[in-house]
Amino acid sequence: AAADGDESTATGSGSRAVPVGAVEADAALLAHFGSVREAVVRKYRNMNMEVGQHASYSRLFVLCSRAFHCDDIRKHLEELTPQDIPPFLTQLLSHGHVEAFVHGNVTSAVAVQLAEVVVSALGPGCKMDPEERQRDQCVVVPGAAAAAATAGMATAEVAEAVALDVGTVVPLLAKNSKEENAALEVYYQLAPATDPRDRAALDLIDQILYEPCYDTLRTKQQLGYSVYSGTRLTGGVSGFCVQVVSARHPPEHLDACVESFLASMCSRIRAMSPEELATHVGALVASKMQRDRSLVDEAGRLWGHISSQRYDFFSRELEVAALEGVTIDDVYDMFVRYLLPPSAGISARGSCSGDGSGGRRKLSVHVRPHGPLAAAESNKAAGDSGGGAADQMGSAGVLAGAALRPMSEPGDLVSLRSQWPLHTLHLGKPPGPIL
């Protein structure tokens, strides 16, 4: 809003008498405007000060084609004056769309009355046709081969496979100059989440990987104090994320360790028994069908289906039904296609078929501190942990961005995402207008 509200109104000229009360009111309004603006500017200035948040924010900013960066918003806020507000407010209310969700112990007639009050207060400009609404779209992350070609990676068989592991890297410097931690957020993009069976299979992969991911990267390898993994739904597109925050290792080493972990899970998933799979399915069903703890929680869950414009209010019930038919072959095939590092197809041909690069689309955000992180300590830690990460994926760590200069924000991030095509929007059918 601040970026668009940069017009000022003409104040006119000539002398006129101004009542004392009006002057006092104007002074109070100006003081209030200044304090509110300062609070909002401070909020944006403090965003991304923590490296894990910085990595997550930057990953989402690159994926969302129409997103505004918090640094740009802050700059425009600092330039904003009270005179900028009225013309922008007029413009905002002249062409908009209102979606009202009334939830709880209320009749449909009362819900309509409440919506009518909102529309009446906002004015006639809030009846925009649905086709005119601007919608954010998720970009298509380059495939493994395209990303390696863009980076000018090697072409020998093994070196090429390792290069395919790297994907697209976004190297950044920590926002806080005194920050001592590094962060990695690696995102694997799948496909539009239109099929409940595919969503169920991805959730099952998350269920299977969650505990061993934490145990391997946090407990055994002790990479950092914060490790998590989970699914993502961005602009209707499914994805899988792993984030590690570390005070000991640079992000390219963390990236290599994540790739090594995924490679090690291939044979484990392939050998999973029907009983093990059933245990994971049962735990996932229980999690999905857990009752909302309050009316607020239930409303928030339902509102998510509205704000995303998917309107799939029974998605979890459909996913639970689909889980009954998901087999270990379905899970394994999805894992190999989207998550398995291509180099694992060469180093473990006996246990894992396929090179994993066919549908793999990887985006890695590397946030480095301003001070050095000793490579010797990384190598020592890798040796102490059994040599798995360093020996198996050390080349990937070198390729993953050790020599890359940090990108500028937001300019380089905007340039990066503007090069990529957009996923097709898959929207649900909204309820018919009631006003």
Side-chain angles (χ1 to χ4, degrees), residues 107-121:
T107 65
S108 58
V110 173
V112 170
Q113 292 175 3
L114 291 172
E116 288 175 339
V117 170
V118 173
V119 171
S120 175

Side-chain angles (χ1 to χ4, degrees), residues 18-270:
V18 180
V20 174
V23 173
E24 294 175 347
D26 287 346
L29 184 60
L30 285 173
H32 181 62
F33 174 87
S35 63
V36 170
R37 182 182 62 181
E38 178 56 34
V40 179
V41 167
R42 188 184 310 114
K43 180 189 77 171
Y44 280 101
R45 185 183 296 120
N46 291 335
M47 287 182 67
N48 299 334
M49 295 298 285
E50 194 273 320
V51 290
Q53 181 191 45
H54 191 179
S56 294
Y57 182 94
S58 301
R59 186 262 308 168
L60 192 59
F61 179 79
V62 170
L63 291 177
C64 296
S65 60
R66 299 181 63 89
F68 293 100
H69 198 276
C70 60
D71 289 350
D72 278 344
I73 297 174
R74 175 184 55 79
K75 291 176 183 177
H76 284 282
L77 277 169
E78 290 173 339
E79 300 170 356
L80 204 63
T81 68
Q83 289 73 32
D84 296 323
I85 303 302
F88 174 75
L89 189 59
T90 300
Q91 177 189 4
L92 179 68
L93 298 181
S94 67
H95 203 57
H97 173 83
V98 172
E99 239 170 343
F101 174 46
V102 183
H103 178 240
N105 187 19
V106 63
T107 65
S108 58
V110 173
V112 170
Q113 292 175 3
L114 291 172
E116 288 175 339
V117 170
V118 173
V119 171
S120 175
L122 294 177
C126 64
K127 296 184 179 181
M128 178 193 297
D129 291 333
E131 292 76 17
E132 296 183 70
R133 296 173 64 184
Q134 294 183 347
R135 299 174 173 92
D136 207 347
Q137 290 176 257
C138 184
V139 300
V140 179
V141 175
T150 300
M153 297 298 184
T155 56
E157 182 184 15
V158 177
E160 181 179 8
V162 173
L164 293 174
D165 291 350
V166 176
T168 300
V169 180
V170 177
L172 303 171
L173 267 181
K175 193 170 181 180
N176 181 2
S177 61
K178 298 182 180 179
E179 178 65 62
E180 298 180 351
N181 296 308
L184 163 78
E185 179 149 315
V186 57
Y187 166 83
Y188 304 92
Q189 188 176 76
L190 278 69
T194 56
D195 188 344
R197 186 182 178 90
D198 289 342
R199 299 199 302 267
L202 179 60
D203 286 340
L204 196 50
I205 289 176
D206 177 33
Q207 171 72 26
I208 293 169
L209 295 183
Y210 183 80
E211 187 278 332
C213 179
Y214 185 89
D215 182 58
T216 300
L217 302 180
R218 174 67 178 88
T219 305
K220 294 178 179 176
Q221 296 184 13
Q222 298 185 9
L223 295 181
Y225 65 87
S226 174
V227 174
Y228 78 78
S229 61
T231 60
R232 294 293 181 269
L233 184 63
T234 308
V237 178
S238 293
F240 183 80
C241 256
V242 180
Q243 185 186 96
V244 183
V245 177
S246 175
R248 303 174 61 194
H249 306 292
E252 58 269 16
H253 177 82
L254 304 176
D255 198 331
C257 292
V258 170
E259 295 291 279
S260 179
F261 163 72
L262 292 175
S264 72
M265 288 299 298
C266 181
S267 58
R268 183 170 173 175
I269 293 175
R270 177 74 280 182

